[in-house]
């Protein structure tokens, strides 16, 4: 009963957020970000710690300003989920005012060997799928949310734009391999912390980070091409979709070299709009000795 109430209350809230004007969403996001900052809780502390790790040369004042902006962008990203999951794809794509670097995507597709699109947790990243699915089928791996009340809704919301979702695991990997070998496009979130047996440490902003090796393994097995893509929020409730060619060393047969190149590829995207990256995620939660990093006791604020 409680799950049903939570589900339908949540869906009702998403429905309201889907029709609110951007100016109101932005105002709510600024207020929410300010509240999160003032509470000085988990989200603020993880954000600041990640920024300390990745931008050690920033002054404390500059780092705090960036962290505060990150929390406002996080709030806006959450509030715009109603729009992204419920509005028609063609309506959302009308808000895309520019597409940068599309020639890198075209070059990879023209190679005919399959394309892996690396989409970090940056900006309104789900809109990259909406854009691609106008003309190309995209297959991506799907991790079932912890809250089963919303699992079916999120699954359907992501499928409605034409994305083919496969569950994480060996069966899903087989589907991805098949798509690549047929010259198709697959997508993945390359900056998630993998299971301990599904990655190895590679530098990310100069700090060792446990990094998934699925993308680099697939590149080697299928001789495919890799492209990075993200969707940046720009003023007025609009978006800009950006594609970059992955670092050339991502194709190196040495796993450590290719994983370092994968992370450099993500870094390049993040540095273009660092305030829109998901710094609230414990990207460095594992230390090289596989001890857990104590994120919350190492905060200098």
């Amino acid at each position: 009963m409680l799950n049903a109430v939570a589900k339908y209350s949540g869906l009702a809230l998403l429905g309201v957020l889907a029709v609110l004007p951007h100016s109101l969403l932005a105002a709510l996001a600024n207020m929410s970000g300010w509240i999160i900052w003032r509470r000085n809780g988990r989200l603020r502390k993880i954000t600041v710690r990640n920024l300390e790790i990745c931008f050690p040369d920033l002054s404390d004042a500059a780092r705090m300003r960036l962290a505060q902006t990150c929390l406002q962008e996080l709030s806006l990203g959450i509030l715009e989920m109603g729009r992204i999951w419920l509005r028609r794809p063609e309506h959302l794509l009308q808000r895309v005012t520019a597409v940068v670097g599309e020639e890198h995507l075209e070059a990879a597709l023209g190679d005919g060997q399959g394309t892996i699109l690396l989409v970090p947790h940056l900006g309104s990243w789900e809109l990259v799928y909406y854009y691609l699915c106008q003309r190309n089928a995209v297959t991506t791996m799907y991790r079932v949310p912890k809250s089963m009340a919303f699992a079916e809704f999120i699954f359907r919301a992501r499928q409605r734009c034409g994305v083919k979702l496969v569950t994480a695991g060996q069966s899903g990997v087989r589907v991805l391999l098949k798509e690549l070998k047929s010259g198709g496009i697959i997508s993945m979130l390359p900056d998630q912390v993998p299971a301990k047996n599904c990655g190895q440490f590679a530098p990310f902003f100069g700090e060792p980070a446990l990094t998934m090796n699925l993308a680099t393994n697939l590149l080697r097995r299928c001789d495919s091409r890799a492209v990075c893509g993200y969707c940046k929020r720009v003023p007025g409730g609009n978006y800009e979709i950006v594609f970059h060619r992955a670092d050339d060393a991502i194709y190196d047969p040495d796993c450590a070299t290719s994983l370092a190149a994968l992370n450099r590829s993500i870094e390049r995207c993040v540095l273009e709009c660092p305030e829109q990256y998901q710094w609230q995620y414990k990207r460095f939660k594992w230390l090289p000795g596989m001890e857990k990093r104590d994120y919350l006791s190492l905060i200098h604020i």
Side-chain angles (χ1 to χ4, degrees):
M1 179 63 179
L2 289 176
N3 282 342
V5 171
K7 175 182 177 180
Y8 291 111
S9 297
L11 292 177
L13 177 58
L14 286 173
V16 171
L17 293 172
V19 298
L20 291 181
H22 173 76
S23 58
L24 183 51
L25 285 181
L28 290 172
N30 288 341
M31 182 185 302
S32 174
W34 181 84
I35 291 171
I36 295 170
W37 182 259
R38 294 293 296 175
R39 287 185 62 192
N40 193 21
R42 179 176 175 273
L43 290 177
R44 172 176 169 174
K45 291 178 178 179
I46 294 172
T47 300
V48 172
R49 183 56 183 146
N50 278 329
L51 294 177
E52 285 181 342
I53 292 170
C54 295
F55 300 104
D57 295 333
L58 276 183
S59 68
D60 289 343
R63 190 181 298 114
M64 292 305 160
R65 287 194 297 271
L66 176 56
Q68 198 162 4
T69 304
C70 290
L71 293 174
Q72 292 170 344
E73 289 288 343
L74 169 69
S75 300
L76 183 55
I78 293 171
L79 291 172
E80 73 177 4
M81 282 295 99
R83 175 191 296 177
I84 290 173
W85 286 342
L86 293 174
R87 299 297 291 267
R88 288 177 298 141
E90 54 268 30
H91 170 82
L92 293 166
L93 291 173
Q94 290 174 1
R95 312 295 298 190
V96 176
T97 57
V99 180
V100 179
E102 191 167 19
E103 66 273 13
H104 302 304
L105 178 64
E106 296 289 353
L109 293 173
D111 202 35
Q113 295 294 108
T115 302
I116 299 181
L117 183 66
L118 304 169
V119 184
H121 290 84
L122 180 63
S124 300
W125 53 271
E126 293 202 46
L127 290 184
V128 177
Y129 299 142
Y130 285 71
Y131 178 75
L132 283 177
C133 286
Q134 294 178 102
R135 55 178 186 168
N136 298 97
V138 180
T139 303
T140 189
M141 197 166 275
Y142 173 73
R143 183 177 293 177
V144 178
K146 292 180 181 178
S147 172
M148 294 305 295
F150 291 97
E152 183 180 355
F153 166 74
I154 295 172
F155 186 87
R156 289 182 176 178
R158 288 175 172 165
Q159 267 197 328
R160 70 193 178 98
C161 69
V163 175
K164 179 180 178 180
L165 297 166
V166 296
T167 54
Q170 287 303 312
S171 61
V173 172
R174 285 194 290 271
V175 175
L176 298 182
L177 273 169
K178 183 178 178 181
E179 291 294 329
L180 286 176
K181 289 178 178 179
S182 65
I185 304 177
I186 70 167
S187 175
M188 60 184 65
L189 301 165
D191 51 350
Q192 289 182 317
V193 178
K196 296 178 184 179
N197 61 341
C198 296
Q200 71 180 56
F201 284 88
F204 184 53
F205 284 96
E207 181 78 3
L210 187 62
T211 302
M212 68 163 62
N213 54 23
L214 176 59
T216 54
N217 286 344
L218 290 174
L219 287 172
R220 285 192 294 272
R221 291 182 66 176
C222 301
D223 196 27
S224 300
R225 299 293 95 188
V227 178
C228 297
Y230 70 94
C231 181
K232 178 168 63 175
R233 302 184 198 98
V234 295
N238 296 318
Y239 305 96
E240 180 178 292
I241 291 176
V242 181
F243 296 104
H244 285 302
R245 192 177 75 174
D247 187 299
D248 288 341
I250 199 170
Y251 307 108
D252 195 284
D254 177 68
C255 185
T257 302
S258 61
L259 288 180
L262 182 149
N263 282 346
R264 285 196 301 271
S265 302
I266 300 169
E267 289 173 23
R268 179 182 180 184
C269 297
V270 172
L271 288 171
E272 293 180 354
C273 49
E275 71 283 356
Q276 295 188 28
Y277 190 57
Q278 192 173 308
W279 296 109
Q280 301 75 31
Y281 182 57
K282 293 182 179 180
R283 182 67 185 89
F284 304 99
K285 73 176 182 179
W286 294 111
L287 297 167
M290 295 313 295
E291 304 92 1
K292 272 194 175 181
R293 182 188 301 271
D294 188 347
Y295 256 88
L296 302 183
S297 68
L298 297 172
I299 306 300
H300 304 109
I301 55 177

